[in-house]
């Protein structure tokens, strides 16, 4: 995608990565992504906001064209998808100074080996004038790492928010289509931002009153209506969970699946929405997406030797780390001769602090009595949702 102007003197010069299919070797990217970089040109000085993933350095350079002078490279976030091209940019513009948050100084030295007098930490709230373009730096920690900061350019009402409000969405649109951006932004929130809710709340209090006209994140399209981004984040952080049960499951010989099928029907009969996800070959980003709203997680797993199937262990470990707002947890466990799977599954989600609803543990193929226990689990979940006012 060619460089385009967000506002006079503010150009998007980053790279759209249509073909990338995995991030951090963990998160599938069904819609690709972008590494956004913004060139801000004042009457006297020029600043580049963030670089790009090192695989896309050539695209950034092509978009910078014959730019002769760069005064500042602002590193809002040290993760390599934004700082990876920094050494190459500094090699091309040896006179440029790196501006970053105080916590980023050491991280730049360790992560991309950029250090020394060339790096200057700016203070929270500090302003740098490019000549008719004021860069107001705002520390917005834990969106996504501790050093992360954002920048507001008041003359144009542009907020450059780095990972915050981002989306893994490759598109030719500069300004995002609101229908298209919402599911992508939610998925990104789930994968990247959800563990940091309390810090994001503070960051929102800091950036929302600025009255921004545009938000330029570091992934995905620009928000032409910033209030949409603020409202979505408030809902995902502080909105109540939905009357929704998420059932991640694995089934080796069908016993667990019989219970999952039964639970799904029994929950639907009680007016509860269900999302089920077979973890075999599953998209963990989709799992994270569903975790944003689910009031209850019911994990269905067979026993491998003594423990839950490894796919379930990985999924529960991820759920525990992402810190979703699920209030209730339960399990459907099957086994052949002995099992410690239930204890391990409960321990795996200890940090969720979700209330345990009586699980169902079945030896072999579920009997009619076992399925009645599954029905009882559905009834118990329905009662919990009703008590919590989620219905
Ligand atoms: Fe897009 Fe946390 O890097």
């Amino acid at each position: 995608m060619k460089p385009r102007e967000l506002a006079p003197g503010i150009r998007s010069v980053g790279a759209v990565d249509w073909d990338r299919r995995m991030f951090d070797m963990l998160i599938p990217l069904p819609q690709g992504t972008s590494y956004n970089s913004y060139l801000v040109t004042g009457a006297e000085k020029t600043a580049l906001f963030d670089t790009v993933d090192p695989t896309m350095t050539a695209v950034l350079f092509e978009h910078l064209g014959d730019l002769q002078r760069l005064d500042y490279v602002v590193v809002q976030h040290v993760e390599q998808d934004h700082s990876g091209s920094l050494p190459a940019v500094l090699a091309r513009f040896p006179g440029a100074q790196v501006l970053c948050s105080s916590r980023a100084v050491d991280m730049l030295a360790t992560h991309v080996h950029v250090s020394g007098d060339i790096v200057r930490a700016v203070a929270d709230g500090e302003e740098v004038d490019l000549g008719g373009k004021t860069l107001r730096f705002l520390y917005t920690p834990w969106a996504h790492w501790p050093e992360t900061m954002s920048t507001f350019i008041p003359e144009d009402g542009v907020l450059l928010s780095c990972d915050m409000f981002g989306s893994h969405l490759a598109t030719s649109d500069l300004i995002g289509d609101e229908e298209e951006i919402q599911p992508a932004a939610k998925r990104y929130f789930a994968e990247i931002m959800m563990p940091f809710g309390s810090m994001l709340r503070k960051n929102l209090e800091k950036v929302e009153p600025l009255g921004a006209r545009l938000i330029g994140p570091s992934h995905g399209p620009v928000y032409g209506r910033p209030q949409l981004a603020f409202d979505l984040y408030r809902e995902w952080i502080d909105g109540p969970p939905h009357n929704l049960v998420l059932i991640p499951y694995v089934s080796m010989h069908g016993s667990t699946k019989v219970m999952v099928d039964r639970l799904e029907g029994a929950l639907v009969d009680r007016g509860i929405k269900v999302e089920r996800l077979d973890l075999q070959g599953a998209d963990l980003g989709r799992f994270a997406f569903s975790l944003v709203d689910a009031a209850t997680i019911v994990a269905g797993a067979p026993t491998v030797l003594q423990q839950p199937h490894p796919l379930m262990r990985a999924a529960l470990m991820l759920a525990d780390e992402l810190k979703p707002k699920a209030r209730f947890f339960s399990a459907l466990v099957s086994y052949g001769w002995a099992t410690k799977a239930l204890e391990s599954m409960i321990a795996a989600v200890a940090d969720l602090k979700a209330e345990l609803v009586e699980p169902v543990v079945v030896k072999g193929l579920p009997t009619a009595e076992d399925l009645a226990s599954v029905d009882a689990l559905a009834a118990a979940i329905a009662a919990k949702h009703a008590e919590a006012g989620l219905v």
Side-chain angles (χ1 to χ4, degrees), residues 78 149 157 180 184 277 288 334 372:
V78 177
M149 70 176 189
E180 188 179 29
L277 186 70
S334 64

Side-chain angles (χ1 to χ4, degrees), residues 103-125:
R103 289 197 73 167
V105 174
D106 285 348
M107 294 173 77
L108 278 172
T110 54
H111 286 61
V112 289
H113 296 181
V114 171
S115 61
D117 293 343
I118 196 172
V119 179
R120 180 170 85 76
V122 295
D124 184 22

Side-chain angles (χ1 to χ4, degrees), residues 114-173:
V114 171
S115 61
D117 293 343
I118 196 172
V119 179
R120 180 170 85 76
V122 295
D124 184 22
E126 181 176 336
E127 294 185 347
V128 168
D129 182 16
L130 301 181
K133 298 267 186 229
T134 306
L135 310 180
R136 185 184 305 162
F137 302 111
L138 302 164
Y139 282 20
T140 46
W142 297 107
H144 151 222
W145 284 1
E147 88 299 358
T148 320
M149 70 176 189
S150 303
T151 306
F152 185 57
I153 304 171
E155 291 85 352
D156 302 287
V158 171
L159 175 67
L160 302 179
S161 63
C162 204
D163 275 356
M164 191 162 60
F165 311 126
S167 54
H168 285 312
L169 176 60
T171 171
S172 60
D173 294 338

